Amino acid sequence: MSAAQMTSLIGRKARSGRELQAARAMSLGRALRLTAAKQADRMMGLALNTLGVTRTAATAEALPDLLNAQSLILLMDGPEYQVCAAVLDAGLVSGLIQQQTMGKVTPISGARPHTETDAALCAPFVEALMGNAAAMPEESADRELLHGYRFGVRAQEPRVALLALDKLDYEVVCMTLDLAGGVRSGTLTLILPRPVIPAVSEPQTAENDGETSPRQPQTLSKTVLLLKTELTVALARLSLPLQTVSDFKAGDVVDLNMSSLAQALVIDVGGKVVSRATLGQLDGMRAVQLEHDKAVTTQPRRRASDREDLELPDVTAKVVAPVVEDRVPAEAAGHREKESVDIFGDADAMPDMSDVDVAEVSAEGSAESGMSEGEDRRRQPAW
């Protein structure tokens, strides 16, 4: 056997092995096909068969061709604030509603606009289809594509659905379904955003023992530099009457009254002037050079040595409490002075009076001393 024949034989064996493996593998289409038949029978007793499943990649520009006003558009909320759309054509919507309301599917159906009741009757089937099929595919990317979606709201028109579908890349899965043994057929289209896989940085090796060090958090300055803002460069500001502006036509020249290109203004979204700028060019492209304010620094000034260039009040000086004049009335002051007088003096220096008899002062003694009772009462101290 020649080398060419041997290579051809090995290629045929490898190809047959791949085909057998592909037939046994659980793909996304096969998972949806099996799940649709089981969920339709379990939830509403409907004999449903999947005639075909197609899967294509699409961008945001191709979504308007997949949405039409005659279909029922269900917006499904997913993980990480992602939104997918489930589009059911009129034949599938009528068949699901007839099975749940009348218990059978009829081939006759009239065209009518869809309502919130239609969405409430069809959304559980779509939600169960995606939820149960998400765990079956072998590829992790296929599982993430269907995982975690719940019914959110019905889009009343395609324009509303386009506003909610704000991703760039999508996977479009179209299922052709047969209802009740060929009585009716319909299509279900799933517009699924590709899952966002976060980038995993390489672990950094520690210098001491070779273990992986934890991820360093981003600083505030790096986070601020990553923010985006919208600025407008204004060459000049003019005040013109409304009639003059209304009469503008192609070819009219407006005098900006500018002597140089160094008078431009940089304005934020709120109309506030951020800085002055000079217009020019750099490497053949338009450029703007901002004027840097000397008071603005790139590093925060929090140290004591940074206060020299800043116009700040001196808060470290010693504060002297003001002298408050005593404005107490004279009567109260005199009363306070009398209360503070020590009428007893030093109690330890007083003589021992244990042997002194207590004199009894009688009325007669008071008369003999020449003092009347009234005089004695008047001489009592005021305190």
Side-chain angles (χ1 to χ4, degrees), residues 344-358:
F344 297 103
D346 191 0
D348 297 335
M350 297 180 64
D352 187 10
M353 302 179 66
S354 58
D355 298 335
V356 179
D357 296 334
V358 180

Side-chain angles (χ1 to χ4, degrees), residues 3-62:
Q5 293 176 347
M6 181 63 66
T7 304
S8 178
L9 179 60
I10 295 175
R12 289 197 302 270
K13 290 183 177 180
R15 185 167 57 252
S16 62
R18 288 194 301 267
E19 293 175 354
L20 181 60
Q21 179 66 24
R24 294 179 178 178
M26 182 61 69
S27 62
L28 178 65
R30 187 177 183 183
L32 290 173
R33 184 183 294 107
L34 295 177
T35 306
K38 292 181 179 180
Q39 294 302 319
D41 181 70
R42 183 183 65 85
M43 298 178 65
M44 60 190 77
L46 174 63
L48 186 143
N49 185 26
T50 303
L51 302 179
V53 179
T54 60
R55 177 179 178 181
T56 57
T59 59
E61 289 76 9

Side-chain angles (χ1 to χ4, degrees), residues 179-322:
L179 283 69
V183 177
R184 182 186 296 274
S185 63
T187 58
L188 169 62
T189 304
L190 301 177
I191 305 176
L192 306 168
R194 291 182 178 177
V196 179
I197 302 176
V200 180
S201 59
E202 296 181 358
Q204 299 179 359
T205 306
E207 298 178 359
N208 49 7
D209 54 358
E211 296 180 357
T212 57
S213 60
R215 183 179 180 182
Q216 298 295 332
Q218 293 288 340
T219 60
L220 178 60
S221 60
K222 294 182 179 180
T223 303
V224 172
L225 291 177
L226 294 177
L227 298 178
K228 296 182 180 180
T229 184
E230 181 179 350
L231 299 176
T232 303
V233 179
L235 298 178
R237 288 186 174 182
L238 302 178
S239 179
L240 299 175
L242 180 60
Q243 184 63 34
T244 303
V245 178
S246 301
D247 295 339
F248 280 166
K249 59 182 180 297
D252 290 347
V253 179
V254 180
D255 185 11
L256 299 181
N257 194 16
M258 293 179 56
S259 58
S260 65
L261 296 179
Q263 302 177 359
L265 299 177
V266 181
I267 306 174
D268 60 6
V269 292
K272 181 181 178 181
V273 177
V274 178
S275 173
R276 292 185 175 273
T278 302
L279 299 182
Q281 63 177 357
L282 180 64
D283 297 334
M285 303 180 65
R286 297 191 184 102
V288 178
Q289 183 179 6
L290 302 180
E291 293 183 3
H292 296 281
D293 191 356
K294 296 182 179 180
V296 179
T297 58
T298 57
Q299 298 294 335
R301 296 187 174 184
R302 298 188 294 263
R303 303 176 180 85
S305 60
D306 299 333
R307 298 174 182 171
E308 299 178 358
D309 300 334
L310 301 177
E311 297 179 0
L312 298 176
D314 187 8
V315 296
T316 60
K318 184 177 180 181
V319 180
V320 180

